[in-house]
Every structure is written in C-alpha cells, then in structure tokens.
Amino acid sequence: MLNLKEFESLKTECLSCTSCSLSETRQNVVFGRGNPFAKILIIGEGPGQIEDDKGLAFVGRSGKLLDELFLSVGINVEKDCYISNIVKCRPPSNRKPRISEVENCSNWLQNQVSLINPKIIILAGSTAVNSYLNISKPITEIRGKWINKSNIKIMPIFHPAYLLRNPSNEINKPKWTTIQDLKKVKKELNLFV
Ligand code: URA
Ligand code: SF4
C-alpha cells in the first residue's frame, strides 16, 4: 500500500527541482496525475505546452486521446492509473529530451515507481520505452508484447501523438493495434482486482 505522505513529499521536492536546464524554461514541473494507489503506471515522454501550463500530465490532445482509448477497453485513467513522464519538465518546442536530461530526471521516476509499486507499467512511445528499458529498439518491433522486469509487467504501446497523426480506425492500423494492446492490459488488470 502506497504511503501517501511519502508520495506527497516526493512531489513537493520534485516541484522545486533544478537538476537540469529544462528547469530554466518550464512554467510548471509536471509530476503526474491520476491515482497513485492504482495498479497501472503509464509513462510518456515529457510534458507538452498544455501540460507545462497546467502542471498536469497528459491533459492536451494526446492525453484526451489516451483517456478515450483506455476507456474504450474499460480502463479509467484517472481512477485506475497513475500517469507521468520520463522527464518532468517540458523540453523547449517539444524536442525530445536529451540523454543527460533523462538521466538527471530518472531518480524522480524511480522513486515514483518504488512508492506506487505498480503491477503493470505502460510505456507510451519510443522515448519512454528506450529510456526506461535502456534499449534502442523501434517501437513497431517491441509494442504489444509483455516484458517482465523485477516483478512488473511492462507493455510498450504507440505514443498517442503518433496516433493523432494516424487517426484511421481501420483494422491493423496503429490505433486499432493500440486498442488490441490495451485489451491485453485490461485482461491482466482483471487478474489483480
Ligand atoms: N506527451 C507526453 O509524452 N506526455 C505528456 O504529458 C503529454 C504529451
Ligand atoms: Fe529536474 Fe527533471 Fe525538471 Fe530536469 S526535467 S529540472 S531533472 S524535474
């Protein structure tokens, strides 16, 4: 069971982090949103503009699509998941975070993982997959297959921003494929509730 006090104090500490230069251009640190007691932790790349403005993870167009896709398989992101990012501050112009920024920020994420102690981690997009698993594989190759790591089941999926650029609902297209991946997640979640 998560220790909420510890989680809140981790958040408070993170909100004043200046460990990398992204702190100079951010409006807000984006620690995460959702339910820290949940069994699923979703990890994206980094905050975009709307997230930076609001200080909340995945609340722009990508986040709306993610919420919708999860809901379509019966998972309520706000209630059944906690959702955060590899880096907690927005990279200028939404560029990919640099390796040094990912490394500087990784302690926050590691502490989030330890405290939340999720059963399932969903890695959205290649930055999340490659940074979190320390590999460099194309997302097309790795998505949709469970990876077991220190007793956590990890599912890589396409990033919702990619799905916004590929909006077709046709069978075998990225959006359809993502829903199949999320159905596997729902099936696994059902084992724990
Ligand atoms: N994209 C991400 O990877 N994370 C967010 O929080 C928003 C968009
Ligand atoms: Fe700190 Fe991470 Fe923000 Fe860099 S991106 S300032 S390491 S919280």
mmCIF file of all heavy atoms in Angstrom, residues 14-24 26 29-30 86-90 100-106 108, ligand 2:
data_model
loop_
_atom_site.group_PDB
_atom_site.id
_atom_site.type_symbol
_atom_site.label_atom_id
_atom_site.label_comp_id
_atom_site.label_asym_id
_atom_site.label_seq_id
_atom_site.Cartn_x
_atom_site.Cartn_y
_atom_site.Cartn_z
ATOM 1 N N CYS A 14 10.130 17.401 -5.842
ATOM 2 C CA CYS A 14 10.290 17.417 -7.296
ATOM 3 C C CYS A 14 9.885 18.768 -7.875
ATOM 4 O O CYS A 14 10.510 19.257 -8.822
ATOM 5 C CB CYS A 14 9.461 16.281 -7.906
ATOM 6 S SG CYS A 14 9.605 16.133 -9.694
ATOM 7 N N LEU A 15 8.838 19.380 -7.307
ATOM 8 C CA LEU A 15 8.327 20.637 -7.860
ATOM 9 C C LEU A 15 9.343 21.773 -7.803
ATOM 10 O O LEU A 15 9.199 22.773 -8.490
ATOM 11 C CB LEU A 15 7.025 21.056 -7.146
ATOM 12 C CG LEU A 15 5.814 20.133 -7.326
ATOM 13 C CD1 LEU A 15 4.558 20.754 -6.739
ATOM 14 C CD2 LEU A 15 5.577 19.769 -8.794
ATOM 15 N N SER A 16 10.388 21.604 -6.984
ATOM 16 C CA SER A 16 11.411 22.660 -6.961
ATOM 17 C C SER A 16 12.745 22.189 -7.550
ATOM 18 O O SER A 16 13.784 22.815 -7.332
ATOM 19 C CB SER A 16 11.579 23.201 -5.539
ATOM 20 O OG SER A 16 11.953 22.163 -4.687
ATOM 21 N N CYS A 17 12.716 21.101 -8.325
ATOM 22 C CA CYS A 17 13.954 20.542 -8.894
ATOM 23 C C CYS A 17 14.584 21.486 -9.920
ATOM 24 O O CYS A 17 13.903 22.033 -10.779
ATOM 25 C CB CYS A 17 13.666 19.194 -9.535
ATOM 26 S SG CYS A 17 15.113 18.467 -10.337
ATOM 27 N N THR A 18 15.885 21.653 -9.816
ATOM 28 C CA THR A 18 16.635 22.422 -10.823
ATOM 29 C C THR A 18 17.855 21.622 -11.296
ATOM 30 O O THR A 18 18.884 22.187 -11.644
ATOM 31 C CB THR A 18 17.099 23.783 -10.263
ATOM 32 O OG1 THR A 18 17.821 23.553 -9.047
ATOM 33 C CG2 THR A 18 15.932 24.711 -9.984
ATOM 34 N N SER A 19 17.700 20.290 -11.315
ATOM 35 C CA SER A 19 18.845 19.429 -11.648
ATOM 36 C C SER A 19 19.271 19.478 -13.105
ATOM 37 O O SER A 19 20.350 19.001 -13.433
ATOM 38 C CB SER A 19 18.540 17.979 -11.285
ATOM 39 O OG SER A 19 18.395 17.849 -9.914
ATOM 40 N N CYS A 20 18.397 19.970 -13.983
ATOM 41 C CA CYS A 20 18.843 20.111 -15.372
ATOM 42 C C CYS A 20 18.312 21.426 -15.929
ATOM 43 O O CYS A 20 17.468 22.085 -15.303
ATOM 44 C CB CYS A 20 18.420 18.908 -16.231
ATOM 45 S SG CYS A 20 16.737 18.987 -16.863
ATOM 46 N N SER A 21 18.778 21.783 -17.111
ATOM 47 C CA SER A 21 18.469 23.115 -17.637
ATOM 48 C C SER A 21 17.024 23.253 -18.122
ATOM 49 O O SER A 21 16.582 24.372 -18.415
ATOM 50 C CB SER A 21 19.440 23.492 -18.751
ATOM 51 O OG SER A 21 19.346 22.542 -19.777
ATOM 52 N N LEU A 22 16.273 22.152 -18.167
ATOM 53 C CA LEU A 22 14.846 22.284 -18.519
ATOM 54 C C LEU A 22 14.122 23.124 -17.459
ATOM 55 O O LEU A 22 13.068 23.703 -17.731
ATOM 56 C CB LEU A 22 14.182 20.908 -18.665
ATOM 57 C CG LEU A 22 14.670 20.032 -19.833
ATOM 58 C CD1 LEU A 22 13.917 18.715 -19.865
ATOM 59 C CD2 LEU A 22 14.528 20.760 -21.165
ATOM 60 N N SER A 23 14.703 23.198 -16.271
ATOM 61 C CA SER A 23 14.089 24.000 -15.200
ATOM 62 C C SER A 23 14.059 25.486 -15.575
ATOM 63 O O SER A 23 13.245 26.233 -15.056
ATOM 64 C CB SER A 23 14.847 23.800 -13.883
ATOM 65 O OG SER A 23 16.182 24.237 -14.029
ATOM 66 N N GLU A 24 14.950 25.902 -16.484
ATOM 67 C CA GLU A 24 15.030 27.323 -16.824
ATOM 68 C C GLU A 24 13.910 27.785 -17.755
ATOM 69 O O GLU A 24 13.591 28.966 -17.792
ATOM 70 C CB GLU A 24 16.393 27.629 -17.478
ATOM 71 C CG GLU A 24 17.552 27.425 -16.515
ATOM 72 C CD GLU A 24 18.895 27.281 -17.223
ATOM 73 O OE1 GLU A 24 19.001 27.662 -18.406
ATOM 74 O OE2 GLU A 24 19.827 26.762 -16.570
ATOM 75 N N ARG A 26 10.791 25.915 -18.136
ATOM 76 C CA ARG A 26 9.460 25.394 -17.789
ATOM 77 C C ARG A 26 8.610 26.457 -17.100
ATOM 78 O O ARG A 26 9.153 27.389 -16.487
ATOM 79 C CB ARG A 26 9.616 24.194 -16.837
ATOM 80 C CG ARG A 26 10.026 24.635 -15.437
ATOM 81 C CD ARG A 26 10.079 23.526 -14.429
ATOM 82 N NE ARG A 26 10.469 24.045 -13.143
ATOM 83 C CZ ARG A 26 11.420 23.530 -12.359
ATOM 84 N NH1 ARG A 26 12.087 22.448 -12.732
ATOM 85 N NH2 ARG A 26 11.696 24.077 -11.205
ATOM 86 N N VAL A 29 6.593 22.210 -13.156
ATOM 87 C CA VAL A 29 7.031 20.819 -13.146
ATOM 88 C C VAL A 29 5.774 19.962 -13.233
ATOM 89 O O VAL A 29 4.765 20.263 -12.582
ATOM 90 C CB VAL A 29 7.794 20.482 -11.845
ATOM 91 C CG1 VAL A 29 8.135 18.994 -11.784
ATOM 92 C CG2 VAL A 29 9.060 21.321 -11.740
ATOM 93 N N VAL A 30 5.812 18.937 -14.063
ATOM 94 C CA VAL A 30 4.656 18.043 -14.206
ATOM 95 C C VAL A 30 4.997 16.710 -13.547
ATOM 96 O O VAL A 30 5.690 15.872 -14.120
ATOM 97 C CB VAL A 30 4.301 17.856 -15.696
ATOM 98 C CG1 VAL A 30 3.150 16.867 -15.857
ATOM 99 C CG2 VAL A 30 3.940 19.201 -16.326
ATOM 100 N N ILE A 86 8.842 10.495 -18.556
ATOM 101 C CA ILE A 86 10.292 10.280 -18.383
ATOM 102 C C ILE A 86 10.956 11.539 -17.822
ATOM 103 O O ILE A 86 11.717 11.479 -16.867
ATOM 104 C CB ILE A 86 10.943 9.876 -19.740
ATOM 105 C CG1 ILE A 86 10.454 8.488 -20.182
ATOM 106 C CG2 ILE A 86 12.463 9.950 -19.681
ATOM 107 C CD1 ILE A 86 10.995 7.317 -19.386
ATOM 108 N N VAL A 87 10.669 12.700 -18.441
ATOM 109 C CA VAL A 87 11.141 13.967 -17.850
ATOM 110 C C VAL A 87 9.943 14.785 -17.374
ATOM 111 O O VAL A 87 8.873 14.752 -17.975
ATOM 112 C CB VAL A 87 12.024 14.812 -18.811
ATOM 113 C CG1 VAL A 87 13.351 14.139 -19.086
ATOM 114 C CG2 VAL A 87 11.293 15.165 -20.107
ATOM 115 N N LYS A 88 10.146 15.474 -16.274
ATOM 116 C CA LYS A 88 9.034 16.172 -15.604
ATOM 117 C C LYS A 88 8.882 17.619 -16.054
ATOM 118 O O LYS A 88 7.926 18.287 -15.652
ATOM 119 C CB LYS A 88 9.216 16.137 -14.080
ATOM 120 C CG LYS A 88 9.540 14.762 -13.475
ATOM 121 C CD LYS A 88 8.514 13.705 -13.784
ATOM 122 C CE LYS A 88 8.764 12.417 -12.988
ATOM 123 N NZ LYS A 88 8.252 11.242 -13.722
ATOM 124 N N CYS A 89 9.834 18.115 -16.847
ATOM 125 C CA CYS A 89 9.731 19.488 -17.335
ATOM 126 C C CYS A 89 9.716 19.475 -18.855
ATOM 127 O O CYS A 89 10.364 18.642 -19.484
ATOM 128 C CB CYS A 89 10.903 20.340 -16.836
ATOM 129 S SG CYS A 89 11.041 20.351 -15.039
ATOM 130 N N ARG A 90 8.999 20.445 -19.434
ATOM 131 C CA ARG A 90 8.812 20.470 -20.888
ATOM 132 C C ARG A 90 10.108 20.823 -21.624
ATOM 133 O O ARG A 90 10.711 21.867 -21.363
ATOM 134 C CB ARG A 90 7.761 21.515 -21.249
ATOM 135 C CG ARG A 90 7.512 21.578 -22.746
ATOM 136 C CD ARG A 90 6.702 22.789 -23.143
ATOM 137 N NE ARG A 90 6.421 22.779 -24.569
ATOM 138 C CZ ARG A 90 6.115 23.852 -25.283
ATOM 139 N NH1 ARG A 90 6.036 25.028 -24.673
ATOM 140 N NH2 ARG A 90 5.885 23.748 -26.563
ATOM 141 N N SER A 100 21.161 13.357 -21.178
ATOM 142 C CA SER A 100 21.566 13.915 -19.881
ATOM 143 C C SER A 100 20.337 14.339 -19.066
ATOM 144 O O SER A 100 20.313 14.177 -17.839
ATOM 145 C CB SER A 100 22.507 15.097 -20.082
ATOM 146 O OG SER A 100 21.838 16.101 -20.819
ATOM 147 N N GLU A 101 19.317 14.862 -19.747
ATOM 148 C CA GLU A 101 18.094 15.287 -19.047
ATOM 149 C C GLU A 101 17.346 14.064 -18.507
ATOM 150 O O GLU A 101 16.864 14.064 -17.370
ATOM 151 C CB GLU A 101 17.207 16.094 -20.005
ATOM 152 C CG GLU A 101 17.819 17.435 -20.378
ATOM 153 C CD GLU A 101 17.289 18.053 -21.667
ATOM 154 O OE1 GLU A 101 16.490 17.399 -22.386
ATOM 155 O OE2 GLU A 101 17.681 19.189 -21.972
ATOM 156 N N VAL A 102 17.290 13.017 -19.332
ATOM 157 C CA VAL A 102 16.635 11.779 -18.903
ATOM 158 C C VAL A 102 17.350 11.219 -17.669
ATOM 159 O O VAL A 102 16.711 10.827 -16.683
ATOM 160 C CB VAL A 102 16.629 10.743 -20.052
ATOM 161 C CG1 VAL A 102 16.171 9.378 -19.556
ATOM 162 C CG2 VAL A 102 15.753 11.222 -21.204
ATOM 163 N N GLU A 103 18.678 11.239 -17.733
ATOM 164 C CA GLU A 103 19.450 10.696 -16.600
ATOM 165 C C GLU A 103 19.250 11.530 -15.343
ATOM 166 O O GLU A 103 19.065 10.998 -14.249
ATOM 167 C CB GLU A 103 20.935 10.621 -16.959
ATOM 168 C CG GLU A 103 21.216 9.415 -17.852
ATOM 169 C CD GLU A 103 22.629 9.384 -18.418
ATOM 170 O OE1 GLU A 103 23.390 10.370 -18.208
ATOM 171 O OE2 GLU A 103 22.954 8.382 -19.071
ATOM 172 N N ASN A 104 19.275 12.851 -15.514
ATOM 173 C CA ASN A 104 19.074 13.726 -14.356
ATOM 174 C C ASN A 104 17.712 13.521 -13.715
ATOM 175 O O ASN A 104 17.548 13.651 -12.507
ATOM 176 C CB ASN A 104 19.185 15.190 -14.778
ATOM 177 C CG ASN A 104 20.592 15.711 -14.646
ATOM 178 O OD1 ASN A 104 21.154 15.695 -13.561
ATOM 179 N ND2 ASN A 104 21.173 16.127 -15.753
ATOM 180 N N CYS A 105 16.729 13.222 -14.547
ATOM 181 C CA CYS A 105 15.350 13.137 -14.061
ATOM 182 C C CYS A 105 14.979 11.739 -13.569
ATOM 183 O O CYS A 105 13.937 11.570 -12.939
ATOM 184 C CB CYS A 105 14.401 13.588 -15.173
ATOM 185 S SG CYS A 105 12.904 14.352 -14.542
ATOM 186 N N SER A 106 15.814 10.751 -13.850
ATOM 187 C CA SER A 106 15.391 9.361 -13.642
ATOM 188 C C SER A 106 15.135 9.014 -12.172
ATOM 189 O O SER A 106 14.341 8.117 -11.876
ATOM 190 C CB SER A 106 16.409 8.389 -14.250
ATOM 191 O OG SER A 106 17.606 8.467 -13.530
ATOM 192 N N TRP A 108 13.527 10.769 -9.981
ATOM 193 C CA TRP A 108 12.126 11.068 -9.632
ATOM 194 C C TRP A 108 11.230 9.915 -10.056
ATOM 195 O O TRP A 108 10.376 9.457 -9.305
ATOM 196 C CB TRP A 108 11.660 12.368 -10.302
ATOM 197 C CG TRP A 108 12.436 13.580 -9.876
ATOM 198 C CD1 TRP A 108 13.161 14.410 -10.677
ATOM 199 C CD2 TRP A 108 12.570 14.098 -8.544
ATOM 200 N NE1 TRP A 108 13.735 15.412 -9.938
ATOM 201 C CE2 TRP A 108 13.392 15.249 -8.623
ATOM 202 C CE3 TRP A 108 12.089 13.704 -7.294
ATOM 203 C CZ2 TRP A 108 13.732 16.008 -7.508
ATOM 204 C CZ3 TRP A 108 12.417 14.465 -6.181
ATOM 205 C CH2 TRP A 108 13.226 15.590 -6.285
HETATM 206 FE FE1 SF4 B 2 14.553 18.281 -12.515
HETATM 207 FE FE2 SF4 B 2 13.595 16.520 -14.251
HETATM 208 FE FE3 SF4 B 2 12.800 19.052 -14.390
HETATM 209 FE FE4 SF4 B 2 15.286 18.409 -15.101
HETATM 210 S S1 SF4 B 2 13.388 17.733 -16.103
HETATM 211 S S2 SF4 B 2 14.695 20.130 -13.775
HETATM 212 S S3 SF4 B 2 15.770 16.767 -13.645
HETATM 213 S S4 SF4 B 2 12.424 17.631 -12.687
#
